[in-house]
Amino acid sequence: MKQRKEKNLHPDWRMTKGERGCYYTSESARLFTAQLITNYMTVFLLFQGVDTAMVATSVLVVKIVDSVDDVIFGFLVDKLDLSKWKLTRKIGGEGKYMPWYRMCCWTVPLATILFFLMPRSMPMAAKVAWFTVFYLLYDLTCTLSEVPMSTLIVTLTDNIDERNHILTVKGVITVIAAVIIAVVGQYLISEKVGFSISSVMIGFCIFFVILMIPMIFKVKEHNVGLKNVEKTEEKEKYTVRDMLKCVFTNKYIFIYFLSILAYSCLATSAATQTLTGFYIFHDSNIYSYIMLVGFVPGIILSCFCDRIVKRFGKRNSLVGIFLIIATANFLLFSLRGQTLAVFVVIGGICAIPNALYSIITNYVAPDTIEYTRYKTGKDCSAIFFSLKSFITKATSGVASALGLYIMAIAGWQTVEADSFATLAANNVQQTESALNALWACTYLVPGIGVLLAGVIMMFYNLRDEDAQLMAECNAGHISREECEAGLSRKY
């Protein structure tokens, strides 16, 4: 009865309420697992006493290697249909992307656990080697998981409104859970409690794996395969050259990726803000307080992301958010020396737009994919998300390396400690030049990156209404002639 009621409310939606619920829970857990190393890597390595310059160099080396495997995995995910092979179908089940999830969802948690098991007693060279090997393993497993799961939104449903609804709800859930997890995680490793980073991260991994399980059994893809293409029998025969041609014919995904590149390469704050709280405000929990101040307003506004996008368009909404975030970063950079209370209140208000960005940015990629599917008649969605995965991981690595290089140049002193409680007990100090570099990495450098991203996105001009028509044509609901007649211009 409940399912029939839902269908009456949204007769053209494909997924059931139960399927969407499992998707929200499991996909959020997967995303959080993949973020553990990104968010805690710098602090963990500094606690391990690893030389910052050596680690920064290792990060860049790993990313060079990773640049190759991302493209390879993207090609394999697009090219291979696991549901057609007896063994993989038996393990992974039916679908285009869900079999990859069912077979590989456990790999990222395993790689993360191994990364955080680094023994502190090892020599420096052994620590750097351990970091390099398991950071590379983490990157490989992230790609193997991220590519099919990012592309899955295209095959879950062909309805753009349903996609936006799914992305909005998932985004809101992710923001709520991210705040809770960040606050709890930071509190557990802070000087107030003193748990080791390794124990907290391993505990999170086990918890997230449990949350990933429902999706394995409950979620089904409802939009597998392209319609309205002239030679459907050739869909499965396209080559690497065909896939690269698909990518290079899409200027919109290029602009979108370029904006992410600018935003993420300079996002050094992810690696430094916890240290900023401890060394400048003498409280490593300060960013938990800031998140809590902006938590409720951010969640309320996040619930209206789909309406904001309908009112202003995806591009205008994203550009506006970029400019607001950049302004907030520059404002906070100017506030060093203010009291803790003043900084927490202003920082919490400035953090609100980040919740909107985390949701609205996910609306853009599916539209660009529908454009390419419409223009080429080929389904190379995974190659786009493999490139997005590479850019996200590579730029996070570059941002971490950049922050570490800046701190090394400024004279950052490495120490060995279990937690912030140990640092506080030993009264570990840093030079003023190192603290200035830490502050710049937390606000000034990211502010410049966000501003550049906003300027780049101004050149994105794929209209939302046209992307909807292309999606309907790709799904076979309208003919190509009807689609061409309805487009606002020639693409």
Side-chain angles (χ1 to χ4, degrees):
M1 180 65 69
K2 289 183 179 180
Q3 184 172 334
R4 287 199 297 272
K5 181 180 179 181
E6 184 185 18
K7 287 185 177 180
N8 289 334
L9 290 173
H10 304 288
D12 54 347
W13 284 20
R14 306 290 179 253
M15 299 181 72
T16 66
K17 186 176 180 180
E19 283 182 300
R20 292 196 297 270
C22 291
Y23 173 75
Y24 299 143
T25 302
S26 301
E27 173 65 354
S28 297
R30 184 193 65 81
L31 289 171
F32 291 140
T33 307
Q35 286 297 310
L36 291 177
I37 288 181
T38 300
N39 293 342
Y40 291 93
M41 179 181 74
T42 300
V43 176
F44 174 71
L45 293 173
L46 292 177
F47 280 8
Q48 294 290 100
V50 180
D51 181 82
T52 52
M54 292 177 66
V55 170
T57 303
S58 295
V59 169
L60 295 179
V61 171
V62 169
K63 292 307 175 183
I64 292 173
V65 176
D66 194 42
S67 65
V68 178
D69 73 71
D70 274 301
V71 178
I72 292 174
F73 283 154
F75 173 75
L76 291 176
V77 171
D78 267 331
K79 189 76 172 176
L80 302 180
D81 187 349
L82 300 184
S83 65
K84 289 186 176 180
W85 300 348
K86 184 175 181 181
L87 178 61
T88 53
R89 183 173 65 249
K90 185 175 181 180
I91 300 174
E94 298 293 333
K96 182 174 177 60
Y97 301 115
M98 278 302 299
W100 292 91
Y101 175 82
R102 296 184 183 106
M103 295 174 62
C104 304
C105 63
W106 56 273
T107 59
V108 177
L110 176 61
T112 302
I113 290 173
L114 292 173
F115 178 90
F116 283 109
L117 286 176
M118 177 193 293
R120 190 180 300 106
S121 59
M122 292 194 304
M124 180 67 70
K127 290 180 181 178
V128 174
W130 183 287
F131 164 80
T132 303
V133 170
F134 289 108
Y135 189 48
L136 179 59
L137 179 62
Y138 156 76
D139 267 350
L140 291 171
T141 56
C142 274
T143 302
L144 196 56
S145 171
E146 179 70 21
V147 172
M149 287 308 296
S150 296
T151 316
L152 182 64
I153 188 62
V154 177
T155 59
L156 287 178
T157 176
D158 59 347
N159 186 283
I160 298 295
D161 287 337
E162 185 178 10
R163 284 183 193 170
N164 289 345
H165 173 82
I166 291 170
L167 291 171
T168 299
V169 175
K170 187 187 80 168
V172 171
I173 292 173
T174 300
V175 170
I176 294 174
V179 170
I180 295 173
I181 291 167
V183 170
V184 172
Q186 182 56 47
Y187 182 71
L188 292 175
I189 67 172
S190 72
E191 61 274 20
K192 294 180 172 58
V193 177
F195 286 161
S196 68
I197 295 178
S198 298
S199 62
V200 174
M201 295 304 104
I202 292 172
F204 274 151
C205 283
I206 295 172
F207 176 65
F208 292 150
V209 167
I210 295 173
L211 294 182
M212 291 181 199
I213 294 175
M215 187 167 169
I216 294 176
F217 303 101
K218 299 294 185 180
V219 174
K220 178 182 177 182
E221 296 168 88
H222 300 271
N223 185 39
V224 178
L226 276 171
K227 286 79 176 177
N228 280 332
V229 293
E230 294 180 0
K231 297 180 180 180
T232 55
E233 68 274 10
E234 296 183 4
K235 287 188 302 178
E236 302 296 335
K237 299 179 181 179
Y238 62 86
T239 64
V240 175
R241 183 178 179 181
D242 293 327
M243 293 178 63
L244 294 177
K245 185 178 178 181
C246 289
V247 174
F248 291 128
T249 57
N250 191 337
K251 62 182 178 181
Y252 305 110
I253 200 71
F254 175 77
I255 294 171
Y256 174 62
F257 283 165
L258 194 60
S259 72
I260 294 178
L261 195 68
Y263 178 90
S264 301
C265 274
L266 299 180
T268 51
S269 60
T272 61
Q273 61 183 16
T274 302
L275 295 169
T276 300
F278 180 81
Y279 281 106
I280 293 181
F281 292 100
H282 309 295
D283 188 346
S284 62
N285 287 309
I286 183 173
Y287 289 96
S288 296
Y289 310 149
I290 288 174
M291 281 190 291
L292 291 173
V293 169
F295 177 66
V296 174
I299 292 302
I300 293 174
L301 285 176
S302 296
C303 294
F304 295 95
C305 278
D306 51 349
R307 299 184 187 181
I308 293 173
V309 164
K310 277 192 174 183
R311 174 66 178 82
F312 299 103
K314 295 183 178 73
R315 184 203 57 184
N316 294 340
S317 300
L318 202 53
V319 169
I321 290 170
F322 277 138
L323 297 179
I324 293 172
I325 294 175
T327 303
N329 273 276
F330 296 142
L331 172 63
L332 291 168
F333 178 73
S334 69
L335 292 179
R336 186 177 175 186
Q338 294 292 329
T339 64
L340 179 63
V342 170
F343 190 80
V344 167
V345 172
I346 297 177
I349 295 172
C350 290
I352 294 173
N354 289 291
L356 299 179
Y357 167 76
S358 65
I359 297 174
I360 293 179
T361 188
N362 292 320
Y363 292 167
V364 178
D367 282 2
T368 64
I369 289 172
E370 293 293 358
Y371 167 80
T372 299
R373 297 171 92 193
Y374 176 76
K375 291 291 289 184
T376 66
K378 296 181 183 296
D379 190 1
C380 49
S381 306
I383 195 67
F384 286 108
F385 281 107
S386 72
L387 290 173
K388 183 175 183 291
S389 173
F390 163 65
I391 290 172
T392 301
K393 291 189 302 175
T395 52
S396 67
V398 170
S400 297
L402 177 62
L404 290 168
Y405 274 131
I406 292 174
M407 291 164 64
I409 293 171
W412 188 269
Q413 302 297 314
T414 58
V415 295
E416 291 190 10
D418 287 321
S419 63
F420 284 106
T422 305
L423 289 183
N426 294 336
N427 194 29
V428 176
Q429 300 294 322
Q430 297 291 340
T431 64
E432 185 63 24
S433 63
L435 295 180
N436 288 337
L438 184 63
W439 189 255
C441 286
T442 305
Y443 293 111
L444 180 60
V445 176
I448 295 172
V450 177
L451 183 60
L452 288 174
V455 172
I456 292 169
M457 273 303 294
M458 290 180 180
F459 295 93
Y460 178 94
N461 61 355
L462 174 61
R463 296 191 59 178
D464 299 352
E465 297 83 359
D466 292 340
Q468 171 69 56
L469 285 172
M470 293 175 187
E472 292 177 4
C473 178
N474 291 335
H477 299 316
I478 61 175
S479 67
R480 293 189 68 86
E481 291 74 18
E482 290 174 310
C483 181
E484 291 286 345
L487 295 175
S488 64
R489 60 186 174 84
K490 182 71 176 178
Y491 283 89

